Amino acid sequence: AEWIRKGALAAAENLYDEIWVYGVRDVYDPTEGLPLSTQTRDKMHWTGYLRRQVTDASDIPDSPYVLITPGGGGDGAAMVSLVLSAYEQDPDLGPDAMLIYGPFLSGEVRDAFDERVAKLNGRVTAVGFDSRIEALFAGAVGVVCMGGYNTFCEVLSFDRPAVIVPRTKPRLEQWIRASRAEELGLVRMLDEFRDGMTTEAMIAAIRALPNQARPSAAGADGLLDGLEVVVDRARAL
């Protein structure tokens, strides 16, 4: 409905020489429900996901830690609150957590979270933003995150056991990505429809992270050739 309302279907049909889909068709085909012509589908190329690399060093905790990241943070307050509740309710929960709020989680909401973090006596540390988050991914025991595209690529690229807590409003995009990734054994999902967004579910998920299989065990490396494919397509054009 959104594509039709914005005229995107007509644009896809008439204005493009090629259409590149950032993803893997075997993981999920986001065009499946679109009434695109055969001619337009013949112009589509599936790139795979984009591999990330550590570009700059960052201060990494000396002791094992779980990285908590809601991405940009604008819609991450519920996930952050749930993680803090897990550490508040279970005094023995480990590993410790490093929380990156994201640039859009701010104001009174963040102030309230900071007060809760301060009462956890160092078991959770929190910062607003780290431009070198790749290094923090690479050094983490595991990751608790939302299901946005960039964060998902970082989980796969740095081969971290991950629990994805996807948003379900205003769209199911993150939930679809996370549920398919869980089916393929790449991550575990905390699903509000199946598991419930409960403190107990989050405690269990964090406790399981150190022993959870890495994405590479399910073939994640074969999904991360996007940059090479894009370069090849650009050269072909």
Side-chain angles (χ1 to χ4, degrees), residues 96-157:
D96 291 346
M98 184 169 189
L99 167 61
I100 311 293
Y101 287 120
F104 302 117
L105 202 167
S106 58
E108 294 180 359
V109 174
R110 179 175 161 183
D111 291 342
F113 285 153
D114 281 337
E115 291 180 8
R116 294 170 66 182
V117 167
K119 294 176 182 177
L120 288 168
N121 299 318
R123 295 171 57 220
V124 177
T125 56
V127 298
F129 177 70
D130 194 317
S131 62
R132 300 160 297 182
I133 198 171
E134 294 89 355
L136 297 176
F137 266 95
V141 170
V143 180
V144 179
C145 60
M146 296 183 69
Y149 175 84
N150 288 312
T151 305
F152 180 63
C153 287
E154 286 159 348
V155 165
L156 299 189
S157 297

Side-chain angles (χ1 to χ4, degrees), residues 36-49:
L36 297 170
S37 68
T38 300
Q39 291 82 356
T40 296
R41 292 189 178 279
D42 287 343
K43 296 189 292 187
M44 292 170 59
H45 297 270
W46 297 78
T47 69
Y49 297 109

Side-chain angles (χ1 to χ4, degrees), residues 21-34 41 44-49 149 152 172-184 186 223:
V21 184
Y22 282 86
V24 181
R25 191 170 191 172
D26 291 341
V27 173
Y28 183 69
D29 181 354
T31 72
E32 190 174 297
L34 297 174
R41 292 189 178 279
M44 292 170 59
H45 297 270
W46 297 78
T47 69
Y49 297 109
Y149 175 84
F152 180 63
L172 285 173
E173 167 229 344
Q174 291 193 5
W175 186 89
I176 292 168
R177 180 180 295 114
S179 60
R180 278 296 293 145
E182 185 179 67
E183 288 176 20
L184 295 168
L186 297 166
L223 307 177

Side-chain angles (χ1 to χ4, degrees), residues 66-71 79 83 137 143-148 151-152 155 162-167 174 187-188 190 202:
V66 173
L67 179 64
I68 314 296
T69 171
M79 187 203 79
V83 169
F137 266 95
V143 180
V144 179
C145 60
M146 296 183 69
T151 305
F152 180 63
V155 165
V163 175
I164 294 182
V165 186
R167 73 180 183 196
Q174 291 193 5
V187 302
R188 181 183 170 191
L190 193 63
M202 180 60 78

Side-chain angles (χ1 to χ4, degrees), residues 66 94-95 141-142 161-162 204-214:
V66 173
V141 170
I206 292 172
R207 282 196 175 279
L209 264 177
N211 298 313
Q212 183 177 313
R214 296 187 178 201

